[in-house]
Amino acid sequence: MLPDIDDTRGIIEHLTELADSDGEAFERASRELIERTIASFPEEYRRRAEGLQFRIDAALAPCKDPVTRMNRMVEIFWDHFQAFHDVFNNPDKVLAEREAGQQKASVIPLRRHNH
C-alpha cells in the first residue's frame, strides 16, 4: 500500500523498494501517486495538471531504459525551470518574445451565394 501522500520519505522508500523488486508494481504505484496528487489539487487546477501530466507521459513514452527516462525527466525539469526563471526575472521580455513569435491569421471572407 502506498504511504500517505504527505509522507514524502515514506513514498520514496516504498517506490525505491518496488523499483528494486517489482517493476510493474512500481509503475502502478507511481501512476496511483500521480493520480492521487492531481486529485488533491483544487478543482480549477486539475485539468491543467492532467494536461501537463499527459505531455510528460508522452515525452517519456519513447524512453524504455530507466536511465534514459530519468535523464529525459531531468531535461524536462530544467526546461520548465528555465522558462519559470525567465518569466519571473523578465516578464516583459518573455511577453514580447511570445508576441513576436505569433503568426497573424488571415480572415477569409465568406460570401453567401444566392441561387
Side-chain angles (χ1 to χ4, degrees), residues 85-103:
H85 179 270
D86 293 345
V87 168
F88 186 77
N89 288 301
N90 198 344
D92 292 332
K93 179 182 177 209
V94 171
L95 288 173
E97 288 173 353
R98 285 185 185 172
E99 286 179 15
Q102 292 178 346
Q103 293 180 326

Side-chain angles (χ1 to χ4, degrees), residues 14-102:
H14 181 70
L15 291 176
T16 300
E17 290 172 17
L18 288 178
D20 291 339
S21 64
D22 187 348
E24 289 181 20
F26 171 81
E27 290 298 327
R28 285 192 304 274
S30 297
R31 180 58 45 195
E32 179 186 340
L33 178 61
I34 291 166
E35 290 171 0
R36 283 173 46 188
T37 300
I38 291 173
S40 74
F41 291 172
E43 182 70 34
E44 63 267 20
Y45 298 115
R46 286 187 201 144
R47 274 182 134 332
R48 183 163 170 82
E50 289 167 350
L52 179 57
Q53 186 60 47
F54 178 83
R55 289 177 35 210
I56 292 169
D57 290 341
L60 297 176
C63 305
K64 303 305 179 197
D65 174 75
V67 174
T68 304
R69 186 177 175 94
M70 182 197 64
N71 287 336
R72 183 66 183 116
M73 282 188 239
V74 170
E75 289 174 12
I76 292 168
F77 169 81
W78 283 114
D79 288 346
H80 284 86
F81 181 83
Q82 184 63 51
F84 169 78
H85 179 270
D86 293 345
V87 168
F88 186 77
N89 288 301
N90 198 344
D92 292 332
K93 179 182 177 209
V94 171
L95 288 173
E97 288 173 353
R98 285 185 185 172
E99 286 179 15
Q102 292 178 346

